[in-house]
Each structure stands twice: as C-alpha cells, then as structure tokens.
Amino acid sequence: MTPPDFKPASRVLPQRLAFLALAALQTLPMAQAQGLRPLNAQSITTPQAAAVRTEAAAGSAQRAADFIVAIVNTEPITNAEVRQEAQRLAPQLAQSRQGRPPDAELARLVLERMINEKAQLQLAKESGIRVDDLAVDQAEQNVAAQNQVDVPTLRRRLSADGIGQAQYREQLRDQLILIRVRERDVDSRVRVSDLEVDQFMREQASASDANTELNLAQILIAVPENASAEQSASLMAKAEAALARARANEDFGTLARELSSAADRSNGGQMGLRSAERYPPLFLQAIQGLAPGAVSGVVRSGAGFHILKVVEKRAAGMSVEQTRARHILLRPGAQLNEAQARDRLADFKRRVEAGQADFAQLARENSQDGSAAQGGDLGWASPGQFVPEFEQAMATLAPGQIAPPLVSRFGVHLIQVMERRTSTLSLRDQQEVVRNQLRQKKLEEAFIIWAQEVRGRAYVEKRELPQLQF
C-alpha cells in the first residue's frame, strides 16, 4: 500500500517551481512571458557563482560603471542584474533544443523576463500576497532534499559560491509569491470539462486507426459466388433499402437480426471491440471519419454487400511501465538526526546485500510510515506517483537492487525495486491522463495571456541596451 504521506510529484513545491522555470528556458519565444528562476541548488550555484566572483573581482570601478537598463513602474533593473541572470541561464539554454542565442538576443530575452517578473511581483505585493518565513523555511528544506543534502550543507555550498543566505531566501520568497499570484489569477480559472476530455479522445481515435479500438456492427446481404447480374442488382437494391431504414433511425440491431446473413446477426450484427488492424482494410476505409453512431454506405466485398455502423471508437489502451518497490523510511528528529538515519540505512543495505537480514523484516521493525506492516511494500506504481527524487532513484535500479540512502521531504529512504511490468491503463486512468494534458495546455496559454496583460498595465521605460560582456 502506498503510504498516505506520499504525494503525487505535481504537489511538491520544488517540482512546481522547476516546471514553471523550464517552460521559459526551453521555449525561447515564451521567454518574454516567463519569469521564474529554478530553485535547484545545482542550477543556481555554478553559473551564478561565476557571475558573483566576476563582479567581485572587477572592483569598485566596474560597480561604479553599472547603469540602469530599464525601469518597471518605480523599480530599476541594472545592467549587472541582467548580466548575472544571463550568465546563470546561458548554460541551460545551450543544452536546450534551440541552443544558446547570440549575446544580444540573450540580453534582450533576459531583460524581458526580468521586466515581466518584476511587474508580476509588484502586482502580487500590491494585492496583499505575502509569504511568511515558515513557507520559505519549507521551500529551503525541499530544495535541500532534492539535492540530497541537509539545509546547513546547502547553505554552506551557496555561501562558497558567493550567494548569501539572506539573498537566497529572498529569491525563494519571490518564487513563492509569483506562484501564489499565478495560482490565484491563472490556475484557478482553468477548467477541463468531461466533454472536452471525451472529444479529445474521440479525435485522437479518429486521427490514427493504428491506435484505435473499434466495435463495428454489420448487416451483410450475401451474394452467391456465381450470382448473375440480375441477382446482384436485386441484392444491391435490398442492401440500399436496408441502408435507408438504418439512416431513418430504425434500430440497427433489429435490422441485422432481420436481414443479415452474417453469423453475428444474433448479436445485432456487432463484431466486438477490437484493434482497428483486426478489421478488413475495406471496412476501415468505409468508416473513416465516422463518429460513433454513424452508418457507412453500402460496401461491396467478395461475400456480398455490407452496411456498417460504428458502435464504439476509442483510443487503444495506453501502456505504462509500472514499478513495484519497497522502502524503509526513517524520519530525522530529536532522537535521530539525518546523518545517523543515513548511516543506519546504509548498514541495513549492507546486511541485506550480504544475506544477513531480510529487507521486509527490517521494514516491519524500523520503517516509520504506513507501509511498514506490509514489509515496506508500496505496491504497483505508475510514473508520477511519488516525489521526483524517489522516482529518479527507482529508475536507476534493476529488480532486486537497493539504492543508497535517499533524502526526500519525508525523511531518509532505503529503496529496493522488486519487479516491473507494462500495464494498460483503464479507461478512467486514460481520461485522467488526457485531462491533465489538456489542463496543462490551457495553463500555458492562459499564463502567456495573463503575463502580457500584467506587462501591458505596467509602466516600463527601457533606457539602454544591456551589455553582457561574457
């Protein structure tokens, strides 16, 4: 059983922040609308540290030469700020599909992002959105956990790279404020109806027969092998009369039982739900573009004249790779700090791998979550069920392997993958996947429009072009 305190990855704060940041990094045309900075320690430290050290080495003369490149309402943006942000983003942009743009274009994109971010922060603060120290503390803990370190270690690394604790916490606070104003003004307005989900799934099914499951019903007016032209014409007329009755909304099943020569007539002519490739190409061509409930024209085959009705048409089952894993969770506290928890789990790992202990028994005796009674068994899990760091560790393991102790927001884990399988999602699960896809698409579109509106309401004065001087 999955422990109750394991939340879907989408609910973990750093994951949400990282998603919003990556949208700007990976899609250059959207850079004018996006503004979040990733909170991942790795992504902040190295490039930003280089910028900090460069500016420190430049001395007071260079600082005095800094200049204002833009004003957003009453707040300035300086060239040094743009240069520092560009230096931080440049390596990430270089690894994107589009690659790093020329310096002049990079400076323009970074300045646009900073203008948008500042305008959004001002809107949030003017409307009373505040983030208390407790929320910043939690965000800092989440970032540390994602980087598999404790908070003091994270702070030491940032300090070594020239980023002070107060500066970093203000960055976190700004990120949280931006998320809250966007959730209030954008996320809360986006809805995906059941009708939209069903329509999307029908369109997907219609667009690709190879990935479609069909249930067709037929009325077969059989034509003898050596039928004369007169017989064929008479049977064709019979088929056309049957088609007219079907299109006049007579019950298709009743017509099939009355008129069809096919063996499936007792089932109202229905041939059963099956993959599209299991139907004759002639049938697929006849029903191409037809929605469920529609009736085809008369189709001639070697057996005779067919009239086809699309009873059901849907996307074939989506398959995902599921993992069955178990874990031992220790929660650091007054009696056990994080380092001690790591050491204890590392000892458990050594003993299990040496055949001196049983993983399930150790979980029952030591694990501090709801899966302990099941020997740490978390059941079958689909991608996205656990927090990112947990899933990343699982993905590296072959069945039977145990990962080194891992820190997450819940504590310290020892993870063992038991087995893997490919599973077909139920219709309900497929609908949820589609709903999430449609919602994400709507969110991206709504965010761009909202960001443009916020920018349009702000007073923006651009004074000089930024100079990156890489």
Side-chain angles (χ1 to χ4, degrees), residues 16 24 28 43 61 83-84 103 112 117 125 185 193 204 206 223 225 248 250 257 260 308 374 415 417 429 463-464:
R16 170 68 171 155
L28 287 177
S43 66
R83 184 170 63 247
Q84 187 179 56
D103 285 356
E112 288 295 324
E117 181 177 291
K125 292 173 181 177
D185 290 354
S193 69
Q204 290 295 102
S206 298
V223 177
E225 185 175 350
E250 285 196 43
R257 284 186 284 271
S260 183
L308 303 172
Q374 291 78 41
I415 306 168
V417 168
D429 289 338
R463 293 193 170 181
E464 297 186 46

Side-chain angles (χ1 to χ4, degrees), residues 69-108:
V69 294
I71 294 177
V72 183
N73 293 321
T74 59
E75 296 185 34
I77 297 175
T78 67
N79 187 69
E81 291 171 327
V82 174
R83 184 170 63 247
Q84 187 179 56
E85 182 71 358
Q87 287 176 314
R88 184 183 67 82
L89 292 179
Q92 301 175 56
L93 289 170
Q95 296 173 8
S96 68
R97 291 181 182 179
Q98 295 87 351
R100 175 182 156 179
D103 285 356
E105 178 66 6
L106 177 59
R108 185 187 68 81

